[in-house]
């Protein structure tokens, strides 16, 4: 007897633990992992019915797999969505969404300061297939409206932005999108549904790199597109044919990661907040970028839109690149890597890594200075993080 837990619970914490369990086989208590690429049928007639979609059920793991389904149901529940399609990576999620919902000649309006590969995908790859993108300043709501053309189909934003933690007002941009019959997609990677639920603010689609906070422990790649059943049916048609599917093993890791998502996000946000306040008081720091600080220009919006300010803290050190590199090289604990969303804190110098391919002038115009550092705060103690940053700060 299949005991579906979801209809009987509704709180985030409970959904994170209890959604998507299918005990139809062995009454297992913990979520089972189904490593099978295909599924057998009782008869030729059933095979035909499954292939045609007349009968629901598993066919082949490029389409679906029970472990992937469980993860999809759990993430959909946490975002307050009807449906979710899991993908092999965050980039695969963005690709699948655009390939499924847009066509040649369509136009995208996107916020500036997107994740580097997303910018490349929009600017250099979709453009080859006749889908053009206009980039607008993330916080400038009227700019989105001005950039809309008759052929615009999608507004795509990321909030808070990387590395300067600029926010997009999701409700205001959703209003712009819907007045023009355009879809709004939000990359919710930096907040996760534990801190921000874009669909509840009016967005149509949520994108995830599950590689980051959803796994949360730096183990696997994964991604997801989340939204209405009608839109996800379209994304599914692309996925089952083109194949950027999530593996059941990775789905299982992410499924279990979701159980501790809120606890991790809260702990990491609280440490990030304390670290940002401490950094603001350090004589070697010029400026701190963190939505939780009253000095952040969109602090009020952050309080409205997010439960907590997140775990990404950026700051300018005095002395430019030389001082920034010295600080990085003096750390003994924090990992020097551009990854984020891990229990292990990481530090990166955007101007020479993630934003290194952008010209120095363009970087300066974006506000990514030579002295800018980004710390993705993990689960280590505040005191050890402060001590590690202090080694090279002074
Ligand atoms: C990492 C990341 C992605 C891409 O995800 P992958 O899983 O690496 O493909 C997309 N958007 C944001 C904001 C990211 O941080």
């Amino acid at each position: 007897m299949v005991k579906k837990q979801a209809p009987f619970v509704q709180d985030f914490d409970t959904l994170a633990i209890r959604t998507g369990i299918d005990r139809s086989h062995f009454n297992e208590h913990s979520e089972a992992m189904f490593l099978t690429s295909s599924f057998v049928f009782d008869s030729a007639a059933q095979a035909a019915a499954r292939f045609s979609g007349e009968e629901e059920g598993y066919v082949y793991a490029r389409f679906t797999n029970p472990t992937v389904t469980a993860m999809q149901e759990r993430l959909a529940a946490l975002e307050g969505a009807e449906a979710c399609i899991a993908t092999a990576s965050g980039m695969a999620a963005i690709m699948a969404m655009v390939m499924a919902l847009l066509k040649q000649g369509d136009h995208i309006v996107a916020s500036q300061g997107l994740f580097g590969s997303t910018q490349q995908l929009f600017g250099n790859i979709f453009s080859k297939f006749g889908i053009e993108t206009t980039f607008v300043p993330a916080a400038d709501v009227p700019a989105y409206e001005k950039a809309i053309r008759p052929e615009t189909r999608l507004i795509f934003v990321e909030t808070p932005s990387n590395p300067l933690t600029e926010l997009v007002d999701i409700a205001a941009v959703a209003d712009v999108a819907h007045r023009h019959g355009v879809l709004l997609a939000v990359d919710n990677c930096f907040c996760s549904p534990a801190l921000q639920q874009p669909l509840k603010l009016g967005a149509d689609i949520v994108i995830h790199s599950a590689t980051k906070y959803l796994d949360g422990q730096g183990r696997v790649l994964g991604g997801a597109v989340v939204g209405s059943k009608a839109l996800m049916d379209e994304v599914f048609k692309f996925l089952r044919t083109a194949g950027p599917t999530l593996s059941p093993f990775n789905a299982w890791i992410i499924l279990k990661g979701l159980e501790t998502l809120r606890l991790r996000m809260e702990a990491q946000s609280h440490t990030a907040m304390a670290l940002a306040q401490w950094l603001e008081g350090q004589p070697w720091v010029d400026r701190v970028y963190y939505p939780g600080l009253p000095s952040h220009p969109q602090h009020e919006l952050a309080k409205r839109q997010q439960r907590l300010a997140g775990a990404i803290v950026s700051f300018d050190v005095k002395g430019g690149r030389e001082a920034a590199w010295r600080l990085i090289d003096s750390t003994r604990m924090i990992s020097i890597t551009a990854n984020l969303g891990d229990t292990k804190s990481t530090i990166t110098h955007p101007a020479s890594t993630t934003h290194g391919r952008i010209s120095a002038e363009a970087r300066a115009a974006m506000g990514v200075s030579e002295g800018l550092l980004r710390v993705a705060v993990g689960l280590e103690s505040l005191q050890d993080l402060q001590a590690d940053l202090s080694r090279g700060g002074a």
Side-chain angles (χ1 to χ4, degrees), residues 270-329:
H270 288 313
T271 307
M273 180 73 205
L275 192 71
Q277 285 169 331
W278 173 79
L279 283 166
E280 251 188 351
Q282 299 308 302
W284 41 272
V285 173
D286 244 346
R287 180 172 171 190
V288 182
Y289 305 84
Y290 185 67
L293 293 174
S295 61
H296 191 285
Q298 295 165 295
H299 180 58
E300 289 307 314
L301 173 61
K303 283 202 285 192
R304 238 183 10 253
Q305 179 164 290
Q306 301 179 201
R307 278 190 56 236
L308 291 166
I312 307 290
V313 182
S314 294
F315 54 101
D316 285 318
V317 295
K318 292 177 182 158
R321 179 177 296 215
E322 199 187 320
W325 280 25
R326 189 170 61 238
L327 190 148
I328 288 183
D329 291 341

Side-chain angles (χ1 to χ4, degrees), residues 52-102:
S52 72
E54 229 169 275
E55 180 183 308
E56 266 201 43
Y58 295 101
V59 175
Y60 185 53
R62 175 158 25 86
F63 313 170
T64 47
N65 168 290
T67 314
V68 174
T69 302
M71 186 233 125
Q72 292 178 159
E73 286 180 4
R74 189 167 290 179
L75 183 55
L78 297 186
E79 287 286 5
E82 285 174 5
C84 166
I85 300 295
T87 56
S89 68
M91 292 317 301
I94 300 171
M95 177 194 69
M97 171 193 60
V98 170
M99 298 293 266
L101 302 177
L102 275 69

Side-chain angles (χ1 to χ4, degrees), residues 16 21 28 65 67 71 78 112 122 133 168 181-182 208 215 244 249 279 316 318 339 363 367 372 381:
I21 304 175
E28 67 275 15
N65 168 290
T67 314
M71 186 233 125
L78 297 186
Q112 277 166 8
F122 286 2
T133 302
V168 176
V182 170
H208 273 291
D215 167 9
F249 178 80
L279 283 166
D316 285 318
K318 292 177 182 158
N339 194 31
R363 265 202 313 270
L372 185 75
S381 80

Side-chain angles (χ1 to χ4, degrees), residues 168-183:
V168 176
D169 186 332
I170 296 173
V173 175
D175 187 52
V176 168
H178 298 154
R179 271 193 277 115
H180 293 270
V182 170
L183 294 170

Side-chain angles (χ1 to χ4, degrees), residues 113-337:
L114 292 179
F115 182 69
S117 296
T118 310
Q119 258 171 67
Q120 300 287 324
L121 185 65
F122 286 2
N124 300 338
I125 297 182
F126 291 152
S127 56
K128 286 201 300 189
F129 300 94
I131 298 173
E132 244 192 89
T133 302
T134 304
F135 293 96
V136 300
D140 186 351
V141 176
Y144 292 89
E145 185 145 31
K146 267 189 239 134
I148 289 176
R149 307 176 188 164
E151 59 276 19
T152 305
R153 272 284 288 156
L154 176 73
I155 297 180
F156 185 96
V157 302
E158 217 175 90
T159 179
S161 76
N162 176 31
L164 295 171
T165 71
E166 248 191 306
L167 303 194
V168 176
D169 186 332
I170 296 173
V173 175
D175 187 52
V176 168
H178 298 154
R179 271 193 277 115
H180 293 270
V182 170
L183 294 170
L184 172 63
V186 177
D187 183 331
N188 200 25
C189 174
F190 275 31
C191 279
S192 90
L195 303 188
Q196 173 172 277
Q197 291 170 305
L199 300 178
K200 293 188 179 161
L201 296 165
D204 302 286
I205 296 164
V206 170
I207 292 288
H208 273 291
S209 168
T211 316
K212 312 294 168 49
Y213 294 104
L214 304 190
D215 167 9
Q217 288 147 86
R219 298 166 294 188
V220 298
L221 287 177
V225 191
V226 189
S228 68
K229 175 143 188 341
L231 288 172
M232 294 312 105
D233 281 349
E234 292 304 309
V235 175
F236 178 65
K237 281 184 210 160
F238 173 80
L239 179 107
R240 61 173 278 170
T241 306
T245 311
L246 185 66
S247 90
F249 178 80
N250 290 14
W252 182 80
I253 293 279
I254 295 161
L255 181 67
K256 299 304 284 179
L258 288 174
E259 295 188 357
T260 54
L261 175 67
R262 186 186 64 79
L263 293 172
R264 285 184 283 105
M265 289 306 300
E266 275 187 21
Q268 290 175 234
S269 294
H270 288 313
T271 307
M273 180 73 205
L275 192 71
Q277 285 169 331
W278 173 79
L279 283 166
E280 251 188 351
Q282 299 308 302
W284 41 272
V285 173
D286 244 346
R287 180 172 171 190
V288 182
Y289 305 84
Y290 185 67
L293 293 174
S295 61
H296 191 285
Q298 295 165 295
H299 180 58
E300 289 307 314
L301 173 61
K303 283 202 285 192
R304 238 183 10 253
Q305 179 164 290
Q306 301 179 201
R307 278 190 56 236
L308 291 166
I312 307 290
V313 182
S314 294
F315 54 101
D316 285 318
V317 295
K318 292 177 182 158
R321 179 177 296 215
E322 199 187 320
W325 280 25
R326 189 170 61 238
L327 190 148
I328 288 183
D329 291 341
S330 305
T331 58
R332 291 290 169 267
M333 175 187 76
I334 303 174
S335 314
I336 307 171
T337 170

